[in-house]
Amino acid sequence: LSEMREAGRRGSNREIQGRHKKGHAIPLEMAISEAAPGKIFTAIIRDISRRKELEREVTEIAALEQRRIGQE
């Protein structure tokens, strides 16, 4: 609870793992805010699967380009 209070004061975003209804793990982002000091917290949870997929693609493309540049 104290960790949640601190996160709520900062307006914290965290990446966590969730479980899809079909059973597989999915990456999630959770934004925590403190609505009533020390009493009420709100959390918004988003599926960031597509974001993670795009980040992997960008990393792969950058690595390919680095190898290509090194070969010229």
Side-chain angles (χ1 to χ4, degrees):
L1 188 59
S2 64
E3 186 177 324
M4 188 178 260
R5 277 192 191 112
E6 186 57 34
R9 287 188 190 104
R10 293 191 311 260
S12 177
N13 285 3
R14 295 180 174 219
E15 287 188 16
I16 59 174
Q17 285 289 315
R19 186 138 325 264
H20 191 276
K21 66 182 177 182
K22 293 181 179 178
H24 61 276
I26 58 172
L28 300 170
E29 179 182 70
M30 181 171 63
I32 302 170
S33 297
E34 191 171 14
K39 295 182 180 182
I40 299 173
F41 295 88
T42 60
I44 297 173
I45 301 172
R46 293 187 252 328
D47 179 346
I48 57 171
S49 298
R50 182 70 178 136
R51 181 195 315 170
K52 291 294 189 180
E53 184 180 314
L54 291 171
E55 287 172 355
R56 277 190 299 276
E57 286 180 27
V58 167
T59 301
E60 288 173 15
I61 291 167
L64 287 171
E65 277 300 300
Q66 286 296 323
R67 285 195 294 272
R68 186 186 66 78
I69 291 169
Q71 291 176 353
E72 292 179 356

XYZ file of all heavy atoms in Angstrom:
573
model
N 0.829 -1.200 0.000
C 0.000 0.000 0.000
C 0.866 1.255 0.000
O 0.563 2.201 -0.708
C -0.947 -0.028 1.191
C -2.011 1.070 1.234
C -2.901 1.014 0.009
C -2.831 0.964 2.487
N 1.945 1.260 0.778
C 2.806 2.454 0.801
C 3.442 2.682 -0.560
O 3.629 3.812 -0.990
C 3.875 2.339 1.883
O 4.741 1.271 1.594
N 3.756 1.582 -1.292
C 4.308 1.712 -2.640
C 3.273 2.339 -3.575
O 3.587 3.178 -4.397
C 4.714 0.336 -3.156
C 5.425 0.385 -4.485
C 5.866 -0.998 -4.931
O 6.263 -1.821 -4.091
O 5.784 -1.224 -6.138
N 2.014 1.947 -3.404
C 0.952 2.505 -4.232
C 0.748 3.991 -3.922
O 0.559 4.798 -4.819
C -0.351 1.737 -4.012
C -1.450 2.131 -4.969
S -2.925 1.154 -4.714
C -2.729 -0.015 -6.029
N 0.823 4.365 -2.641
C 0.697 5.781 -2.272
C 1.784 6.607 -2.940
O 1.514 7.650 -3.504
C 0.799 5.938 -0.752
C -0.453 5.686 -0.038
C -0.356 6.149 1.417
N -1.495 5.636 2.120
C -1.460 4.713 3.070
N -0.315 4.230 3.472
N -2.557 4.294 3.636
N 3.018 6.136 -2.850
C 4.138 6.862 -3.442
C 3.956 6.963 -4.952
O 4.171 8.012 -5.547
C 5.463 6.181 -3.096
C 6.675 6.954 -3.547
C 6.748 8.365 -2.992
O 6.325 8.608 -1.840
O 7.218 9.260 -3.724
N 3.554 5.879 -5.586
C 3.332 5.883 -7.037
C 2.220 6.862 -7.392
O 2.320 7.591 -8.375
C 2.988 4.486 -7.515
N 1.152 6.887 -6.604
C 0.026 7.790 -6.859
C 0.409 9.245 -6.743
O -0.052 10.091 -7.501
N 1.284 9.560 -5.817
C 1.739 10.950 -5.655
C 2.551 11.417 -6.852
O 2.519 12.567 -7.210
C 2.567 11.071 -4.379
C 1.737 11.010 -3.136
C 2.561 11.325 -1.898
N 1.773 11.014 -0.728
C 1.939 9.953 0.038
N 2.901 9.101 -0.209
N 1.156 9.733 1.067
N 3.291 10.502 -7.444
C 4.136 10.851 -8.591
C 3.390 10.771 -9.908
O 3.889 11.223 -10.917
C 5.335 9.893 -8.675
C 6.309 10.023 -7.558
C 7.560 9.233 -7.885
N 7.286 7.880 -8.332
C 7.372 6.795 -7.584
N 7.680 6.899 -6.319
N 7.134 5.606 -8.079
N 2.210 10.169 -9.929
C 1.527 9.928 -11.187
C 2.294 8.896 -11.988
O 2.688 9.109 -13.118
N 2.546 7.772 -11.369
C 3.434 6.745 -11.886
C 2.828 5.896 -13.001
O 1.656 5.563 -12.979
C 3.806 5.835 -10.712
O 4.608 4.782 -11.134
N 3.680 5.548 -13.969
C 3.343 4.564 -14.995
C 4.278 3.388 -14.820
O 5.469 3.579 -14.623
C 3.531 5.128 -16.396
C 2.443 6.092 -16.784
O 1.561 6.402 -16.005
N 2.512 6.570 -17.997
N 3.739 2.184 -14.926
C 4.548 0.972 -14.786
C 4.182 -0.016 -15.864
O 3.028 -0.097 -16.263
C 4.280 0.297 -13.450
C 4.704 1.123 -12.320
C 4.410 0.424 -11.043
N 5.011 1.285 -10.044
C 5.640 0.865 -9.004
N 5.701 -0.412 -8.755
N 6.183 1.702 -8.175
N 5.175 -0.776 -16.279
C 4.915 -1.881 -17.185
C 4.779 -3.140 -16.348
O 5.613 -3.417 -15.487
C 6.038 -2.033 -18.202
C 6.013 -0.943 -19.237
C 6.985 -1.165 -20.367
O 7.492 -2.300 -20.535
O 7.249 -0.197 -21.087
N 3.710 -3.860 -16.586
C 3.446 -5.092 -15.856
C 3.041 -6.180 -16.861
O 2.767 -5.887 -18.019
C 2.335 -4.909 -14.791
C 1.022 -4.440 -15.444
C 2.784 -3.934 -13.709
C -0.157 -4.383 -14.500
N 3.013 -7.412 -16.406
C 2.540 -8.523 -17.227
C 1.121 -8.867 -16.802
O 0.818 -8.927 -15.620
C 3.430 -9.757 -17.026
C 4.773 -9.662 -17.702
C 4.646 -9.755 -19.217
O 3.934 -10.590 -19.750
N 5.351 -8.872 -19.902
N 0.272 -9.075 -17.788
C -1.096 -9.496 -17.524
C -1.355 -10.813 -18.230
O -0.488 -11.334 -18.931
N -2.518 -11.325 -18.057
C -2.878 -12.576 -18.707
C -4.135 -12.325 -19.540
O -5.133 -11.842 -19.040
C -3.138 -13.659 -17.667
C -3.374 -14.977 -18.321
C -2.721 -16.178 -17.671
N -1.431 -16.023 -17.060
C -0.272 -16.310 -17.652
N -0.247 -16.715 -18.898
N 0.858 -16.187 -17.021
N -4.040 -12.624 -20.817
C -5.157 -12.495 -21.743
C -6.210 -13.537 -21.394
O -5.893 -14.582 -20.810
C -4.645 -12.721 -23.177
C -5.628 -12.360 -24.232
N -6.608 -13.230 -24.640
C -5.777 -11.228 -24.959
C -7.321 -12.650 -25.593
N -6.837 -11.424 -25.806
N -7.450 -13.282 -21.750
C -8.509 -14.254 -21.424
C -8.283 -15.605 -22.099
O -8.815 -16.613 -21.650
C -9.887 -13.693 -21.774
C -10.143 -13.464 -23.234
C -11.528 -12.861 -23.445
C -11.779 -12.554 -24.903
N -13.093 -11.946 -25.085
N -7.458 -15.608 -23.161
C -7.130 -16.870 -23.813
C -5.969 -17.584 -23.117
O -5.582 -18.674 -23.510
C -6.791 -16.642 -25.281
C -7.993 -16.183 -26.085
C -7.644 -15.994 -27.543
C -8.875 -15.549 -28.311
N -8.558 -15.319 -29.731
N -5.391 -16.944 -22.089
C -4.383 -17.607 -21.270
C -2.945 -17.177 -21.470
O -2.094 -17.489 -20.655
N -2.631 -16.462 -22.549
C -1.236 -16.077 -22.773
C -0.912 -14.735 -22.093
O -1.802 -13.930 -21.823
C -0.915 -16.023 -24.281
C -1.747 -15.029 -25.039
N -3.011 -15.329 -25.508
C -1.491 -13.762 -25.408
C -3.498 -14.278 -26.130
N -2.594 -13.302 -26.079
N 0.374 -14.554 -21.797
C 0.834 -13.333 -21.126
C 0.864 -12.176 -22.122
O 1.178 -12.361 -23.304
C 2.220 -13.545 -20.543
N 0.497 -10.984 -21.651
C 0.557 -9.784 -22.477
C 1.180 -8.645 -21.673
O 1.020 -8.570 -20.455
C -0.842 -9.355 -22.985
C -1.812 -9.103 -21.826
C -1.411 -10.356 -23.965
C -3.128 -8.492 -22.244
N 1.926 -7.750 -22.344
C 2.492 -6.596 -21.648
C 1.419 -5.525 -21.445
O 0.611 -5.259 -22.341
C 3.586 -6.114 -22.605
C 3.128 -6.537 -23.954
C 2.352 -7.810 -23.741
N 1.403 -4.954 -20.265
C 0.436 -3.910 -19.926
C 1.165 -2.708 -19.344
O 2.241 -2.843 -18.763
C -0.563 -4.425 -18.884
C -1.398 -5.636 -19.260
C -2.149 -6.152 -18.042
C -2.356 -5.307 -20.382
N 0.560 -1.540 -19.491
C 1.047 -0.343 -18.808
C -0.034 0.057 -17.819
O -1.220 0.107 -18.169
C 1.275 0.785 -19.809
C 1.761 2.063 -19.141
C 1.938 3.172 -20.150
O 0.920 3.666 -20.675
O 3.094 3.523 -20.422
N 0.377 0.318 -16.587
C -0.568 0.719 -15.559
C -0.190 2.115 -15.068
O 0.935 2.338 -14.623
C -0.550 -0.267 -14.386
C -1.543 0.098 -13.302
S -1.745 -1.167 -12.025
C -0.122 -1.237 -11.310
N -1.136 3.053 -15.192
C -0.946 4.421 -14.702
C -1.726 4.557 -13.398
O -2.930 4.299 -13.368
C -1.454 5.424 -15.733
N -1.037 4.935 -12.330
C -1.660 5.043 -11.007
C -1.707 6.509 -10.600
O -0.720 7.234 -10.724
C -0.862 4.265 -9.945
C -0.752 2.799 -10.340
C -1.510 4.412 -8.570
C 0.205 2.016 -9.474
N -2.872 6.934 -10.114
C -3.037 8.294 -9.595
C -3.737 8.231 -8.250
O -4.532 7.324 -8.002
C -3.880 9.152 -10.541
O -3.253 9.290 -11.770
N -3.441 9.198 -7.412
C -4.083 9.283 -6.092
C -5.239 10.268 -6.204
O -5.042 11.458 -6.457
C -3.056 9.741 -5.065
C -3.531 9.612 -3.650
C -2.405 9.862 -2.652
O -1.339 10.377 -3.043
O -2.610 9.566 -1.481
N -6.464 9.784 -6.046
C -7.648 10.630 -6.178
C -7.981 11.342 -4.864
O -8.322 12.526 -4.879
C -8.836 9.801 -6.645
N -7.908 10.640 -3.757
C -8.132 11.215 -2.430
C -6.921 10.813 -1.600
O -6.699 9.620 -1.387
C -9.410 10.684 -1.810
N -6.122 11.785 -1.170
C -4.858 11.476 -0.483
C -4.975 10.366 0.567
O -5.708 10.477 1.534
C -4.462 12.806 0.145
C -5.090 13.829 -0.755
C -6.388 13.204 -1.208
N -4.236 9.288 0.293
C -4.170 8.179 1.224
C -5.396 7.283 1.273
O -5.427 6.322 2.012
N -6.431 7.595 0.479
C -7.670 6.827 0.574
C -8.088 6.183 -0.744
O -8.465 5.023 -0.761
C -8.803 7.714 1.073
C -8.600 8.201 2.481
C -9.774 9.025 2.929
C -9.524 9.494 4.355
N -10.643 10.260 4.881
N -8.057 6.938 -1.820
C -8.558 6.421 -3.094
C -7.495 6.570 -4.165
O -6.911 7.637 -4.340
C -9.838 7.165 -3.539
C -10.943 6.977 -2.501
C -10.299 6.676 -4.910
C -12.177 7.797 -2.779
N -7.253 5.469 -4.856
C -6.311 5.454 -5.968
C -7.058 5.021 -7.219
O -7.993 4.220 -7.139
C -5.162 4.471 -5.705
C -4.314 4.880 -4.552
C -4.640 4.493 -3.257
C -3.183 5.651 -4.748
C -3.857 4.876 -2.189
C -2.385 6.027 -3.681
C -2.732 5.642 -2.402
N -6.646 5.560 -8.352
C -7.209 5.104 -9.618
C -6.081 4.509 -10.448
O -4.931 4.925 -10.335
C -7.868 6.250 -10.406
O -6.890 7.246 -10.688
C -9.022 6.853 -9.633
N -6.434 3.548 -11.273
C -5.450 2.939 -12.161
C -6.075 2.768 -13.537
O -7.229 2.374 -13.652
C -4.996 1.588 -11.620
N -5.303 3.118 -14.537
C -5.704 2.881 -15.920
C -4.727 1.865 -16.471
O -3.517 2.040 -16.380
C -5.672 4.183 -16.746
C -6.683 5.175 -16.170
C -5.953 3.888 -18.216
C -6.617 6.548 -16.788
N -5.258 0.803 -17.029
C -4.418 -0.282 -17.535
C -4.625 -0.393 -19.040
O -5.759 -0.450 -19.512
C -4.765 -1.617 -16.836
C -4.545 -1.464 -15.327
C -3.944 -2.753 -17.411
C -5.016 -2.632 -14.511
N -3.509 -0.365 -19.789
C -3.558 -0.448 -21.244
C -2.752 -1.625 -21.746
O -1.676 -1.901 -21.249
C -2.914 0.792 -21.878
C -3.616 2.068 -21.672
C -2.951 3.154 -22.492
N -2.163 4.195 -21.922
C -2.267 4.788 -20.763
N -3.119 4.394 -19.918
N -1.524 5.784 -20.416
N -3.245 -2.257 -22.792
C -2.517 -3.315 -23.487
C -1.482 -2.633 -24.381
O -1.825 -1.822 -25.236
C -3.493 -4.138 -24.330
C -2.838 -5.253 -25.121
O -1.592 -5.274 -25.251
O -3.581 -6.104 -25.637
N -0.200 -2.925 -24.162
C 0.854 -2.298 -24.965
C 1.546 -3.317 -25.871
O 2.690 -3.126 -26.273
C 1.871 -1.548 -24.077
C 2.502 -2.471 -23.035
C 1.219 -0.337 -23.420
C 3.655 -1.847 -22.267
N 0.819 -4.378 -26.226
C 1.380 -5.413 -27.097
C 1.869 -4.829 -28.417
O 2.979 -5.129 -28.870
C 0.337 -6.493 -27.399
O -0.064 -7.133 -26.232
N 1.064 -4.000 -29.049
C 1.437 -3.421 -30.340
C 2.658 -2.524 -30.200
O 3.557 -2.533 -31.043
C 0.259 -2.659 -30.944
C 0.533 -2.078 -32.296
C 0.639 -3.162 -33.362
N 0.865 -2.546 -34.654
C 1.738 -2.971 -35.544
N 2.436 -4.050 -35.310
N 1.897 -2.348 -36.683
N 2.714 -1.719 -29.140
C 3.871 -0.842 -28.905
C 5.148 -1.667 -28.785
O 6.168 -1.353 -29.386
C 3.677 -0.011 -27.636
C 4.846 0.920 -27.385
C 4.913 1.503 -25.994
N 3.653 2.003 -25.499
C 3.475 2.376 -24.239
N 4.454 2.292 -23.359
N 2.314 2.827 -23.834
N 5.082 -2.746 -28.005
C 6.251 -3.607 -27.809
C 6.670 -4.260 -29.126
O 7.858 -4.374 -29.416
C 5.968 -4.681 -26.749
C 5.834 -4.122 -25.361
C 7.150 -3.556 -24.937
C 7.169 -3.167 -23.494
N 8.476 -2.621 -23.123
N 5.688 -4.668 -29.921
C 5.969 -5.275 -31.219
C 6.691 -4.272 -32.127
O 7.684 -4.611 -32.777
C 4.639 -5.701 -31.846
C 4.737 -6.428 -33.147
C 3.354 -6.799 -33.656
O 2.522 -7.306 -32.872
O 3.111 -6.565 -34.853
N 6.215 -3.030 -32.157
C 6.855 -1.990 -32.975
C 8.258 -1.673 -32.478
O 9.176 -1.453 -33.285
C 5.994 -0.728 -33.007
C 4.675 -0.851 -33.767
C 3.817 0.383 -33.541
C 4.918 -1.088 -35.240
N 8.445 -1.644 -31.161
C 9.784 -1.396 -30.600
C 10.761 -2.490 -31.035
O 11.903 -2.196 -31.382
C 9.726 -1.319 -29.075
C 9.095 -0.058 -28.548
C 8.872 -0.071 -27.039
O 9.118 -1.116 -26.380
O 8.435 0.969 -26.522
N 10.304 -3.747 -31.010
C 11.155 -4.861 -31.470
C 11.511 -4.705 -32.944
O 12.656 -4.917 -33.347
C 10.462 -6.208 -31.242
C 10.620 -6.755 -29.844
C 10.134 -8.199 -29.745
N 8.714 -8.354 -30.064
C 7.720 -8.158 -29.199
N 7.986 -7.815 -27.957
N 6.461 -8.325 -29.568
N 10.514 -4.320 -33.766
C 10.766 -4.131 -35.195
C 11.801 -3.034 -35.431
O 12.699 -3.194 -36.263
C 9.470 -3.794 -35.929
C 8.542 -4.974 -36.101
C 7.264 -4.597 -36.832
O 7.272 -3.638 -37.630
O 6.252 -5.280 -36.600
N 11.670 -1.925 -34.730
C 12.618 -0.818 -34.870
C 14.020 -1.271 -34.487
O 14.998 -0.980 -35.185
C 12.182 0.405 -34.023
C 13.287 1.430 -33.915
C 10.925 1.032 -34.613
N 14.133 -2.016 -33.399
C 15.432 -2.526 -32.957
C 16.039 -3.458 -34.003
O 17.234 -3.365 -34.312
C 15.286 -3.248 -31.603
O 14.763 -2.323 -30.648
C 16.608 -3.780 -31.104
N 15.219 -4.344 -34.554
C 15.708 -5.268 -35.584
C 16.166 -4.524 -36.833
O 17.214 -4.827 -37.399
C 14.614 -6.275 -35.953
C 14.347 -7.300 -34.883
C 13.144 -8.179 -35.205
O 12.687 -8.181 -36.369
O 12.674 -8.860 -34.288
N 15.380 -3.551 -37.274
C 15.734 -2.769 -38.463
C 17.023 -1.993 -38.228
O 17.901 -1.935 -39.105
C 14.576 -1.836 -38.867
C 13.409 -2.675 -39.394
C 15.023 -0.807 -39.903
C 12.108 -1.908 -39.538
N 17.164 -1.406 -37.048
C 18.388 -0.658 -36.722
C 19.598 -1.582 -36.743
O 20.660 -1.214 -37.262
C 18.250 0.014 -35.355
N 19.460 -2.793 -36.216
C 20.575 -3.751 -36.211
C 20.934 -4.159 -37.638
O 22.117 -4.246 -37.990
C 20.215 -4.984 -35.381
N 19.930 -4.396 -38.478
C 20.183 -4.732 -39.881
C 20.913 -3.598 -40.593
O 21.852 -3.827 -41.362
C 18.864 -5.040 -40.602
C 18.192 -6.357 -40.264
C 16.798 -6.415 -40.880
C 19.034 -7.525 -40.755
N 20.492 -2.373 -40.342
C 21.141 -1.208 -40.962
C 22.586 -1.076 -40.493
O 23.472 -0.763 -41.285
C 20.363 0.078 -40.650
C 19.192 0.319 -41.563
C 19.613 0.439 -43.026
O 20.403 1.329 -43.370
O 19.141 -0.380 -43.829
N 22.819 -1.311 -39.210
C 24.182 -1.234 -38.692
C 25.080 -2.263 -39.372
O 26.201 -1.972 -39.747
C 24.198 -1.450 -37.168
C 23.698 -0.288 -36.374
C 24.579 0.941 -36.522
O 25.798 0.838 -36.612
N 23.969 2.107 -36.578
N 24.554 -3.480 -39.564
C 25.327 -4.514 -40.253
C 25.554 -4.139 -41.713
O 26.631 -4.336 -42.256
C 24.622 -5.870 -40.147
C 24.760 -6.489 -38.767
C 24.388 -7.960 -38.776
N 22.985 -8.197 -39.056
C 22.013 -8.235 -38.159
N 22.306 -8.053 -36.879
N 20.773 -8.459 -38.498
N 24.528 -3.582 -42.352
C 24.642 -3.188 -43.758
C 25.676 -2.088 -43.918
O 26.527 -2.149 -44.804
C 23.288 -2.696 -44.291
C 23.285 -2.414 -45.789
C 21.977 -1.807 -46.241
N 21.741 -0.482 -45.705
C 22.301 0.645 -46.161
N 23.144 0.610 -47.146
N 21.997 1.810 -45.618
N 25.647 -1.111 -43.046
C 26.611 -0.009 -43.107
C 28.026 -0.529 -42.887
O 28.964 -0.103 -43.539
C 26.260 1.083 -42.059
C 24.970 1.792 -42.470
C 27.396 2.076 -41.896
C 24.376 2.684 -41.407
N 28.166 -1.501 -41.982
C 29.483 -2.075 -41.708
C 30.043 -2.861 -42.871
O 31.257 -3.047 -42.989
N 29.187 -3.322 -43.767
C 29.645 -4.105 -44.906
C 30.060 -3.245 -46.096
O 30.725 -3.708 -46.990
C 28.530 -5.073 -45.366
C 28.269 -6.173 -44.381
C 27.109 -7.066 -44.805
O 26.425 -6.781 -45.778
N 26.891 -8.129 -44.054
N 29.638 -2.001 -46.127
C 29.959 -1.124 -47.258
C 31.359 -0.585 -47.175
O 32.004 -0.417 -46.246
C 28.961 0.039 -47.337
C 27.590 -0.440 -47.717
C 26.593 0.703 -47.781
O 26.912 1.850 -47.467
O 25.440 0.418 -48.154
